[in-house]
Amino acid sequence: MQSLGLEVLFKGKNFERLMGGMWTALRISLISIAISMVLGLLLGFLMSRGNRFVRGLMRCYLEFVHIMPQMVLLFLVFFGTSKTFGWNLSGELSSVIVFSLWGTAEMSDLVRGAVTSVPKIQYESAMALGMTKGQVNLHVILPQAVRRLIPQSINLITRMIKTTSLVLMIGVVEILKIAQQIIEANRKASPNAAFGVYLTVFLMYFLLCWPVSLLAKRLEKRWG
Amino acid sequence: MNWSYIQEVLPLFGKAALLTVRIGLIGILFAILVGLLCSLIRQLKIPVLRTVVSVYIELSRNTPLLIQLFFIYYGLPKIGIRTSAEACGVAGLAFLGGSYMAEAFRSGLEAVGKIQHESALSLGLTGMQTFRYVILPQAFAISVPALVANVIFLLKETSVFSAISLMDLMFTAKDQIGLYYNTTECLFLLVAFYLVILLPVSLLGSLLERRVRHAEFGT
């Protein structure tokens, strides 16, 4: 039986270091998620109302962020700003900027979809009952839109957590980088470390995202 | 913007884009096959395989492609499964995409109303005929938007292939930036090439969506 390289994890502080790396990745995603949720809600409402100019501008921003791979956006901010503006953004700051921009776009699209998915007859019936515009929005539209929105935005959270793994590529020392370091350091003692360590990283991501997506699925079933 | 430099590296980027598209397309093809297989197993409720499929779908949907690739490319050789970088890219894309495709097919099959099945049977069609002529066309039409979204998603995900040293667009751009420091030109080319690849797919997708919307009838 070959060794699976799992023993490396129990050497020294290796497991703790991996956890620390996970936290670095998670911190970036949590900050970006918080920013995207707030900005996304605002922009989403702007998009579902708003004048034509604002909507057109938003559409361009949304389409661009939608269609570009997140890696390209990371490169644009990380390498692009240093060359054009001479800014020296750290990897972490660049990734927070990129993931906030991307998350905001996705979130505002979800908000717009949720608001427009409420059938028109709901507006009309509420108006016919003599409610004011504000009342219609608050008591009729909002509750229905929120029910659709919450499961979808929880899904977006897991997507953002998963996408944060890309920050390795612009030199942020997160879980994958630390995994590489651990494997390199133990190259002689346990040559099979790559298998065990990467498997652990894989499972750690899974254990982080799985409960969240289960929650989303459950809410979707209950409110769908 | 240094245009002569752009002209010089254009073929390099072109080659990289071809690699991205090639591996992307093969990977997506395999992903669709895996997805079909999974939804077939789920639909027929085959006992043990059904559990395997559920576990696979949860594992694949809740982990990032980058981690999956690292595990396949650097981890698996340690237990004797060795693959080339390209095969690894295809395998990663199929592993990730299979579950997304399976979910798209499943939501399509579920969205076809039960009454369609019952009506077809009462008209004297056999079970196979009902599936082939009544359920499948409707289910497919309903799942087209999700399928197109998945294809775009997977094409975008190919950008992480540079991590396993495939010479794709990202790899070439990073390489060139490191060598000559022509950041502006390289980033411009990077964005341009991804637009050339992804924009037609996205436009084609929305065209297709509008066409198959006619099929949403009687649900």
Side-chain angles (χ1 to χ4, degrees), chain A:
Chain A
M1 180 68 198
Q2 257 178 319
S3 111
L4 293 179
L6 283 167
E7 70 282 354
V8 180
L9 291 171
F10 305 106
K11 265 191 212 153
K13 287 188 172 171
N14 281 351
F15 194 70
E16 255 168 76
R17 284 183 63 207
L18 266 188
M19 287 307 245
M22 186 90 238
W23 171 240
T24 311
L26 195 61
R27 195 175 51 209
I28 293 174
S29 38
L30 287 181
I31 297 173
S32 328
I33 286 167
I35 296 174
S36 324
M37 293 285 146
V38 176
L39 287 182
L41 277 172
L42 274 173
L43 285 183
F45 279 119
L46 262 181
M47 288 250 307
S48 54
R49 332 250 109 163
N51 61 25
R52 192 174 277 172
F53 180 70
V54 176
R55 273 209 307 246
L57 211 68
M58 281 293 302
R59 203 70 251 165
C60 288
Y61 159 60
L62 271 184
E63 288 297 326
F64 183 76
V65 174
H66 254 310
I67 215 163
M68 275 298 126
Q70 287 89 41
M71 276 281 283
V72 176
L73 298 176
L74 275 178
F75 269 44
L76 279 179
V77 171
F78 188 63
F79 293 117
T81 55
S82 71
K83 176 87 180 192
T84 8
F85 307 118
W87 299 347
N88 194 6
L89 300 181
S90 73
E92 254 188 89
L93 185 59
S94 322
S95 30
V96 168
I97 293 173
V98 167
F99 291 128
S100 302
L101 281 175
W102 171 63
T104 303
E106 295 279 338
M107 185 68 192
S108 62
D109 214 32
L110 292 183
V111 171
R112 194 186 52 90
V115 170
T116 47
S117 77
V118 178
K120 210 174 170 192
I121 199 161
Q122 297 280 334
Y123 285 94
E124 290 163 357
S125 315
M127 291 294 240
L129 285 173
M131 292 174 142
T132 63
K133 240 183 173 161
Q135 282 175 325
V136 174
N137 277 333
L138 188 67
H139 297 296
V140 180
I141 308 304
L142 201 67
Q144 298 186 56
V146 164
R147 278 182 162 214
R148 252 183 101 91
L149 190 62
I150 288 180
Q152 286 175 336
S153 35
I154 295 176
N155 264 330
L156 178 63
I157 291 176
T158 62
R159 270 164 64 207
M160 288 182 74
I161 293 175
K162 283 187 287 176
T163 314
T164 321
S165 60
L166 298 182
V167 298
L168 166 80
M169 310 295 275
I170 56 168
V172 178
V173 182
E174 43 72 84
I175 182 164
L176 262 182
K177 189 80 212 168
I178 290 178
Q180 282 176 338
Q181 289 170 355
I182 291 175
I183 292 163
E184 283 299 313
N186 295 285
R187 168 148 291 208
K188 283 269 160 57
S190 38
N192 284 339
F195 181 83
V197 174
Y198 286 138
L199 184 67
T200 313
V201 175
F202 183 88
L203 290 178
M204 275 161 88
Y205 262 99
F206 176 69
L207 288 179
L208 194 65
C209 293
W210 192 45
V212 185
S213 59
L214 275 186
L215 177 71
K217 211 181 260 174
R218 201 134 154 222
L219 288 179
E220 217 164 327
K221 214 165 252 171
R222 189 187 291 172
W223 290 338

Side-chain angles (χ1 to χ4, degrees), chain B residues 77-219:
Chain B
K78 302 293 176 198
I79 57 164
I81 305 169
R82 222 167 284 274
T83 43
S84 71
E86 285 195 19
C88 172
V90 170
L93 218 51
F95 181 83
L96 176 78
S99 63
Y100 282 82
M101 294 297 179
E103 293 286 295
F105 289 129
R106 191 184 54 104
S107 66
L109 283 172
E110 272 178 8
V112 178
K114 209 175 172 187
I115 199 161
Q116 295 283 325
H117 191 81
E118 288 162 357
S119 314
L121 285 180
S122 68
L123 282 174
L125 296 176
T126 65
M128 257 330 268
Q129 283 173 329
T130 305
F131 188 70
R132 164 76 185 78
Y133 294 107
V134 181
I135 309 295
L136 203 61
Q138 296 186 59
F140 182 71
I142 294 168
S143 50
V144 160
L147 290 179
V148 172
N150 284 346
V151 167
I152 294 173
F153 163 71
L154 290 175
L155 277 177
K156 278 164 65 178
E157 287 287 305
T158 57
S159 58
V160 306
F161 283 167
S162 56
I164 53 168
S165 59
L166 273 172
M167 307 256 274
D168 73 335
L169 282 171
M170 297 305 302
F171 188 94
T172 310
K174 198 172 185 178
D175 204 33
Q176 289 294 316
I177 290 174
L179 281 176
Y180 304 111
Y181 200 54
N182 280 321
T183 315
T184 323
E185 288 80 5
C186 284
L187 290 178
F188 169 76
L189 281 171
L190 190 64
V191 170
F193 269 99
Y194 269 112
L195 277 182
V196 168
I197 295 173
L198 289 164
L199 213 51
V201 181
S202 158
L203 290 177
L204 203 73
S206 42
L207 214 70
L208 206 64
E209 247 170 71
R210 214 166 300 151
R211 269 201 72 96
V212 297
R213 203 164 288 161
H214 300 299
E216 274 184 48
F217 182 80
T219 47

